[in-house]
Amino acid sequence: MEVDGKKALAVLDKAEVAKTNGDFDIAISLYKEYLSMVDPSFTHGVWFSMAEILFETKQLQVSLTHCDKALTMMKDFIPALELRIKIQKELGNRKAAEKDQTFIDELDKIEQSKWDDPNHYYHYK
């Protein structure tokens, strides 16, 4: 896949501006265009941004699907997990929301244990 990085980044920038300005339809369209231009390996943030827009516009099921897509690319992407918790609560799926919260709590414990360990590389300069 040949990627024109400058063009892809320009499209992504336009999408972010449209999202910030509340032009959600334009933003979604630009995000999709960006996705068609790049390798999907590191697009979890774009899927998450679309999920945020869809959540804002009360398209909960589609937003959930986009969160899931972001999480298939990066399973410990906490912003997507947090949004998925909100969506699950809105949909009345308390158990699914609790499962995601438990996963976030486990990730937080792992991270904290690194900071608590004086021999962990986090403490080296």
Side-chain angles (χ1 to χ4, degrees):
M1 167 184 247
E2 186 74 26
V3 176
D4 182 345
K6 288 183 181 182
K7 184 177 178 184
L9 288 176
V11 170
L12 185 59
D13 288 342
K14 287 179 188 176
E16 293 295 329
V17 169
K19 179 182 175 193
T20 301
N21 292 337
D23 297 327
F24 295 145
D25 291 336
I26 294 169
I28 293 282
S29 176
L30 288 166
Y31 282 132
K32 287 179 180 178
E33 181 180 345
Y34 172 80
L35 289 172
S36 72
M37 299 170 75
V38 298
D39 184 82
S41 302
F42 300 101
T43 58
H44 60 280
V46 173
W47 287 102
F48 171 70
S49 291
M50 288 192 294
E52 285 182 311
I53 291 170
L54 294 162
F55 180 75
E56 279 291 315
T57 58
K58 302 296 183 205
Q59 298 175 60
L60 300 179
Q61 280 303 141
V62 184
S63 179
L64 182 61
T65 301
H66 282 63
C67 275
D68 290 343
K69 183 74 172 174
L71 289 165
T72 60
M73 292 174 197
M74 186 177 190
K75 70 179 176 99
D76 58 354
F77 187 40
I78 290 179
L81 287 165
E82 290 171 336
L83 180 57
R84 193 163 73 173
I85 289 169
K86 288 180 189 177
I87 297 167
Q88 294 290 15
K89 286 180 178 177
E90 288 274 329
L91 293 172
N93 301 331
R94 293 270 177 221
K95 288 196 187 268
E98 289 170 7
K99 181 180 175 187
D100 282 342
Q101 186 60 56
T102 299
F103 184 53
I104 290 173
D105 294 344
E106 289 171 10
L107 292 173
D108 288 343
K109 285 179 189 174
I110 291 167
E111 186 65 20
Q112 186 59 48
S113 71
K114 293 174 186 174
W115 285 102
D116 291 343
D117 179 0
N119 296 317
H120 195 273
Y121 72 88
Y122 280 11
H123 298 285
Y124 298 126
K125 291 183 180 182

